[in-house]
């Protein structure tokens, strides 16, 4: 092999190395450029979103304050709790305020009302992959991501159903229904109303089933109802001392009456 032929081969090899090297570098630069373009596009979208938030900042703050005020107004309509004494007291106040006659009351207890929680908007980062993924080597692997457990709401809504048997006039019944549905401080709703006309009195007789609502988890605290003129608590739960004295007095009175009767009978027998 002469020197010219060897030089030609070395030149061709060098040229091929230059071509392959150029293609390898160009491909790497192209791939990196494409990756940067994708990243820049994502950053441009984020910048646009942030700019939109900044442009509407005052409007968002105003809307947030309005929603907070509306939320506070709604919460203000619900007490912190509803207990048996509240149910009885409301029925008693209804009877006295509208001159109706409530002859019976049923109080089955409170229960939680499930309120649907708003679902967060799905994003590309938060979406769960449900399909199988394929590894680079071609191996099929299962996705092991698990969905996060929903958080428990801090505010719970309770429903306390009440049913009363009531007698009233037609006008009184309308006023009672209006009062139940229009109460803005202690939220209520009517579940069922059954009324019949009483031929003897000319009034209405029947039953009203209504629900009293409460919210737990708010800043409100439960306050027991105040009953002016009614004492609470006692040292003698069954009033045994007073009742014992009364029983002893009645027994003594009965014994005295029996002795007097016996004396009268003895005097009558002696006179005969």
């Amino acid at each position: 092999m002469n020197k010219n032929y060897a030089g030609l081969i070395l030149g061709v090899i060098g040229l091929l190395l230059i071509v392959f090297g150029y293609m390898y570098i160009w491909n790497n630069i192209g791939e990196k450029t494409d990756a940067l373009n994708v990243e820049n596009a994502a950053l441009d979208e984020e910048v646009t979103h942030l700019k939109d938030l900044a442009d509407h900042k005052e409007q968002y703050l105003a809307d947030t304050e309005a929603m907070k005020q509306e939320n506070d107004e709604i919460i203000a309509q619900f007490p912190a709790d509803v207990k048996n004494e509240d149910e009885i007291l409301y029925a008693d106040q209804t009877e006295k305020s509208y001159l109706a006659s409530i002859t019976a009351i049923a109080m089955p207890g409170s229960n939680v009302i499930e309120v649907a929680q708003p679902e967060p908007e799905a994003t590309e980062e938060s979406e769960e992959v449900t399909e199988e993924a394929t590894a680079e080597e071609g191996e099929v692997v299962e996705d092991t991501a698990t969905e996060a457990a929903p958080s428990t709401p801090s505010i719970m809504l309770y429903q306390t159903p009440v049913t009363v048997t009531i007698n009233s006039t037609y006008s009184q019944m309308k006023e009672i229904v209006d009062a139940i549905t229009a109460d803005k401080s202690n939220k209520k709703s009517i579940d069922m109303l059954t009324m019949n006309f009483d031929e003897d009195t000319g009034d209405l007789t029947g039953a009203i089933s209504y629900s009293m609502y409460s919210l737990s988890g708010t800043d409100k605290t439960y306050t027991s109802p105040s009953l002016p003129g009614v004492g609470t608590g006692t040292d003698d739960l069954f009033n045994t001392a007073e009742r014992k004295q009364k029983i002893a007095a009645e027994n003594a009175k009965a014994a005295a009456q029996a002795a007097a009767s016996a004396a009268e009978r003895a005097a009558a027998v002696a006179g005969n």
Side-chain angles (χ1 to χ4, degrees):
M1 182 180 295
N2 56 34
K3 294 181 178 180
N4 292 334
Y5 184 72
L8 180 61
I9 291 176
L10 292 174
V12 171
I13 292 174
L15 181 62
L16 290 174
L17 291 174
I18 292 173
V19 171
F20 283 120
Y22 175 79
M23 292 180 63
Y24 176 77
I25 295 173
W26 176 260
N27 287 336
N28 285 343
I29 293 176
E31 291 177 358
K32 291 181 179 179
T33 301
D34 293 339
L36 289 174
N37 288 335
V38 172
E39 185 177 354
N40 287 337
L43 291 174
D44 287 340
E45 291 181 1
E46 184 175 356
V47 169
T48 302
H49 176 64
L50 293 175
K51 187 176 183 300
D52 180 71
L53 292 178
D55 293 339
H56 298 84
K57 176 182 177 181
E58 297 300 328
Q59 181 62 40
Y60 293 147
L61 292 175
D63 292 343
T64 301
E65 183 62 28
M67 286 187 288
K68 182 179 182 301
Q69 182 177 355
E70 181 179 0
N71 187 62
D72 292 340
E73 292 175 355
I74 294 174
I75 291 178
Q77 300 181 33
F78 296 85
D81 197 1
V82 175
K83 298 184 181 296
N84 288 344
E85 50 265 39
D86 301 293
E87 303 171 56
I88 296 173
L89 182 60
Y90 182 75
D92 180 67
Q93 291 174 343
T94 300
E95 185 178 39
K96 293 177 180 177
S97 299
Y98 302 99
L99 302 179
S101 174
I102 294 179
T103 58
I105 180 171
M107 302 175 293
S110 302
N111 55 82
V112 178
I113 297 180
E114 297 293 339
V115 179
Q117 299 297 312
E119 297 182 358
E121 295 182 0
T123 61
E124 294 182 0
E125 297 180 356
S126 63
E127 289 179 351
E128 296 291 340
V129 179
T130 56
E131 299 180 356
E132 295 181 343
T134 305
E136 292 183 0
E137 295 80 8
E139 180 185 0
V140 177
V141 295
E142 294 182 357
D143 176 51
T144 58
T146 56
E147 185 177 355
S151 58
T152 303
S154 58
I155 298 179
M156 302 293 291
L157 175 62
Y158 289 85
Q159 177 190 28
T160 306
V162 182
T163 299
V164 295
T165 303
I166 187 171
N167 300 322
S168 71
T169 64
Y170 177 71
S171 60
Q172 291 168 349
M173 182 55 60
K174 290 199 301 181
E175 291 178 355
I176 292 172
V177 171
D178 289 340
I180 293 175
T181 56
D183 195 339
K184 297 299 183 182
S185 58
N186 294 282
K187 198 69 175 178
K188 302 178 185 67
S189 67
I190 293 180
D191 304 322
M192 182 184 68
L193 175 62
T194 304
M195 287 287 123
N196 295 311
F197 182 74
D198 191 334
E199 296 287 350
D200 296 330
T201 63
D203 294 333
L204 298 179
T205 179
I208 303 178
S209 294
Y210 57 89
S211 293
M212 306 173 73
Y213 298 93
S214 60
L215 287 177
S216 66
T218 66
D219 295 335
K220 289 186 175 182
T221 57
Y222 176 77
T223 303
S224 299
S226 176
L227 303 175
V230 178
T232 58
T234 178
D235 296 331
D236 188 354
L237 179 61
F238 298 101
N239 197 21
T240 56
E242 183 178 346
R243 292 170 65 183
K244 183 177 181 179
Q245 292 177 359
K246 184 178 180 180
I247 292 172
E250 291 177 351
N251 290 339
K253 182 179 179 180
Q257 290 177 348
S261 298
E264 290 179 357
R265 288 196 296 271
V269 171
N272 293 332

